[in-house]
Amino acid sequence: ETGVTQTPRHLVMGMTNKKSLKCEQHLGHNAMYWYKQSAKKPLELMFVYSLEERVENNSVPSRFSPECPNSSHLFLHLHTLQPEDSALYLCASSHGRHGNSPLHFGNGTRLTVT
Amino acid sequence: AQKVTQAQTEISVVEKEDVTLDCVYETRDTTYYLFWYKQPPSGELVFLIRRNSFDEQNEISGRYSWNFQKSTSSFNFTITASQVVDSAVYFCALTLNYGGSQGNLIFGKGTKLSVKP
């Protein structure tokens, strides 16, 4: 398997549920990212991990909790979400955190919070 | 501050037409990188091209071509003889030549292209 793989592709959860999104990259990259894509909004960077350390958290509510156990895997743990958190969540990876490194994205997880 | 503007929200063309997607950027830095990504209905963003600010040479890749003009701060994308498979949302993005958070990609809002048979 190659590229960036995200599971599940679709997720429906109630506001009291706890769920996790998974991302796996097979590109040998050392930086991984979570982005949120809502309707009619620019892509929003949520978290950045570089060499398995969280290096950026863009004022994301604590109901979103990332985890990066190794350079190939990234999780986004979700709990007590709100309906406005419904969006497409995209994982990406890159070779280093330098500006000229292209990001490689997964297919995303379409999250619906009911 | 950096900014990317894609003024065209949606474009609809008929197959075989040529179409140009506009991208205008703002930055005070002299060294930066510009990108185009394609997001088909399947969801993933696919990297198309990266350009650095010192290379204004236009690029052609098959039916795709890019016109980078620093004088107008534009990095436009043209698809020649469009096909139905080109239907997608296209994002233009800018990043500075730094590591860390200053190197984060700044995306435009995207242009949705629909190519009808």
Side-chain angles (χ1 to χ4, degrees):
Chain A
E1 208 170 342
T2 59
V4 180
T5 305
Q6 289 186 244
T7 55
R9 291 297 308 276
H10 301 273
L11 178 62
V12 179
M13 59 186 289
M15 290 192 285
T16 58
N17 291 159
K18 287 186 180 181
K19 296 285 184 184
S20 295
L21 310 185
K22 180 183 175 183
C23 175
E24 186 173 356
Q25 60 97 1
H26 303 272
L27 299 168
H29 291 163
N30 55 17
M32 297 187 78
Y33 309 75
W34 279 116
Y35 279 84
K36 176 183 178 182
Q37 187 177 27
S38 308
K40 299 182 181 179
K41 277 190 177 182
L43 280 153
E44 300 173 70
L45 178 63
M46 299 175 72
F47 300 104
V48 182
Y49 275 82
S50 178
L51 298 172
E52 302 154 39
E53 283 191 38
R54 190 192 312 180
V55 295
E56 196 156 336
N57 176 344
N58 279 353
S59 303
V60 179
S62 60
R63 56 186 184 269
F64 295 92
S65 175
E67 179 190 0
C68 186
N70 55 61
S71 59
S72 299
H73 293 86
L74 184 66
F75 295 89
L76 188 62
H77 304 299
L78 316 171
H79 64 98
T80 59
L81 294 191
Q82 305 297 313
E84 61 264 28
D85 296 323
S86 298
L88 180 68
Y89 289 85
L90 289 158
C91 174
S93 68
S94 68
H95 186 68
R97 285 273 286 131
H98 198 275
N100 67 353
S101 302
L103 267 61
H104 294 258
F105 286 84
N107 286 351
T109 294
R110 175 70 64 185
L111 173 68
T112 303
V113 181
T114 60
Chain B
Q2 284 64 240
K3 186 179 178 182
V4 176
T5 302
Q6 294 180 256
Q8 304 148 309
T9 306
E10 292 192 42
I11 300 176
S12 183
V13 299
V14 176
E15 210 169 17
K16 298 184 183 178
E17 284 185 19
D18 298 347
V19 58
T20 296
L21 310 181
D22 298 333
C23 173
V24 174
Y25 62 92
E26 296 176 29
T27 179
R28 291 182 179 176
D29 273 62
T30 57
T31 306
Y32 49 89
Y33 295 87
L34 295 163
F35 297 78
W36 276 96
Y37 283 85
K38 173 183 179 180
Q39 186 178 35
S42 55
E44 84 280 18
L45 273 79
V46 177
F47 166 70
L48 295 179
I49 189 172
R50 175 187 61 205
R51 214 80 183 124
N52 75 58
S53 52
F54 296 109
D55 184 1
E56 286 194 73
Q57 189 172 9
N58 291 331
E59 182 155 341
I60 297 175
S61 176
R63 296 184 296 107
Y64 294 172
S65 62
W66 291 269
N67 183 356
F68 176 28
Q69 292 196 343
K70 289 177 75 171
S71 60
T72 55
S73 297
S74 65
F75 185 43
N76 296 339
F77 173 30
T78 297
I79 301 175
T80 303
S82 60
Q83 299 177 2
V84 173
V85 293
D86 296 326
S87 297
V89 181
Y90 290 86
F91 291 93
C92 181
L94 164 74
T95 185
L96 303 181
N97 189 36
Y98 299 111
S101 57
Q102 291 189 77
N104 286 340
L105 272 175
I106 298 159
F107 285 91
K109 292 187 177 182
T111 297
K112 183 178 181 181
L113 173 65
S114 298
V115 181
K116 303 188 186 308

